[in-house]
């Protein structure tokens, strides 16, 4: 049995692709085409290349957040203001 939701999604995706292909083929605007190329290139690669140290730091931070080891925005701002006043 065909899943109607997936079929509609595929149909919309197909329509969008065909529309884009048509617009790209008829475009004479080099700047527009270069911008599209940049979008495609960027979407096909990782936006940020992280080092193993950065990935570890992110993982550590996420674990701290899950275990309740984080401060509210207001608390951090207050702490920074106090620190700046001491300078």
């Amino acid at each position: 049995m065909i899943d109607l939701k997936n079929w509609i999604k595929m149909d919309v995706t197909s329509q969008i692709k065909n529309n884009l292909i048509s617009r790209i083929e008829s475009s004479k605007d080099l700047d527009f085409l270069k911008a599209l190329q940049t979008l495609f290139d960027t979407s096909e690669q990782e936006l940020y290349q992280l080092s193993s140290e950065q990935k570890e730091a992110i993982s550590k931070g996420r674990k701290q957040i899950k275990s309740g080891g984080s401060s509210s925005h207001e608390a951090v701002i207050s702490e920074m203001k106090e620190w700046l006043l001491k300078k």
Side-chain angles (χ1 to χ4, degrees):
M1 184 170 179
I2 296 175
D3 181 4
L4 184 59
K5 187 175 181 179
N6 284 336
W7 183 82
I8 291 171
K9 183 178 176 182
M10 289 186 339
D11 187 51
V12 170
T13 301
S14 180
Q15 289 175 4
I16 290 171
K17 285 181 181 180
N18 290 334
N19 185 352
L20 288 171
I21 290 167
S22 175
R23 291 174 69 183
I24 291 167
E25 287 178 339
S26 66
S27 178
K28 305 277 190 253
D29 186 342
L30 183 58
D31 291 331
F32 171 72
L33 294 171
K34 284 181 180 180
L36 281 176
Q37 182 66 51
T38 300
L39 282 172
F40 281 116
D41 291 346
T42 302
S43 70
E44 292 170 354
Q45 54 184 289
E46 272 192 54
L47 191 55
Y48 300 103
Q49 301 292 329
L50 300 176
S51 69
S52 59
E53 292 84 13
Q54 291 169 320
K55 290 177 183 179
E56 285 178 35
I58 291 169
S59 178
K60 183 180 176 182
R62 287 181 174 159
K63 288 176 185 173
Q64 286 176 331
I65 290 169
K66 285 182 182 179
S67 67
S70 60
S71 301
S72 70
H73 175 74
E74 293 78 14
V76 172
I77 295 300
S78 177
E79 186 178 320
M80 290 296 112
K81 286 180 181 179
E82 286 180 33
W83 179 79
L84 288 171
L85 289 174
K86 292 178 184 177
K87 288 277 172 183

